[in-house]
Amino acid sequence: QSSPSLTTWAKGMAALGAQASKKDDAEFERLAPPASAWQSLHNVVNLGVEGPSAQCPSALPDVKLLDMARATSHFARFALAAYSKRMYSLVFPVTACLTMGCCLGSEQGAFERMCGVSSEDVLGAETIARPFKPVWWLCRDRVSSAVVV
């Protein structure tokens, strides 16, 4: 049995993409709040960082840049932790081998340990990736007072 040609593969990926988009659109229509409510639901972490201005045309002020670097570092833990057990075993191989039998036997245990959140802060998750559907976690971050996806 031979591998599919590039053309066949590209057509298959396009079909998968179209199918995923169609499912996403239907799910959005079913679950999303009405458009009139979107403005009140638009809540993000405000870092107070703005782009270059007349007072500082060449770069952001150092303090703001440092704040942005700290926030990026903080939220990067969540991005890495989304890969839960797989990433945990790469980052902490010895600990993973020694503790996999207990609390880290689950995806959620690894996610909680890497993020530093408790189990009651984990609000939802999808731990099985599919084409065009990445793994995701929804949790409360008490340090930044934010909800993180």
Side-chain angles (χ1 to χ4, degrees):
Q1 184 174 354
S2 64
S3 299
S5 69
L6 182 58
T7 304
T8 303
W9 180 83
K11 285 180 182 178
M13 290 303 287
L16 274 174
Q19 182 182 18
S21 290
K22 187 176 179 181
K23 283 182 180 178
D24 284 347
D25 291 344
E27 188 173 4
F28 181 82
E29 290 295 325
R30 187 172 57 84
L31 298 175
S36 60
W38 292 356
Q39 185 67 29
S40 64
L41 299 173
H42 183 69
N43 299 311
V44 296
V45 177
N46 183 359
L47 300 176
V49 176
E50 298 176 5
S53 64
Q55 295 89 6
C56 186
S58 62
L60 297 173
D62 289 341
V63 174
K64 299 289 186 184
L65 193 56
L66 183 59
D67 290 343
M68 183 181 282
R70 284 185 181 133
T72 301
S73 173
H74 175 77
F75 290 111
R77 291 183 311 149
F78 293 91
L80 287 174
Y83 297 98
S84 47
K85 282 196 309 190
R86 294 168 297 280
M87 183 58 72
Y88 189 87
S89 62
L90 286 173
V91 176
F92 305 107
V94 175
T95 306
C97 288
L98 296 174
T99 61
M100 244 349 141
C102 13
C103 65
L104 292 179
S106 71
E107 296 285 339
Q108 185 168 337
F111 178 80
E112 291 168 6
R113 191 146 185 194
M114 288 189 76
C115 289
V117 298
S118 63
S119 58
E120 58 267 6
D121 291 329
V122 176
L123 306 173
E126 177 58 59
T127 60
I128 299 172
R130 294 181 300 279
F132 306 102
K133 300 281 188 175
V135 170
W136 58 266
W137 292 83
L138 179 66
C139 69
R140 199 175 16 242
D141 176 26
R142 296 183 191 270
V143 173
S144 66
S145 299
V147 174
V148 181
V149 178

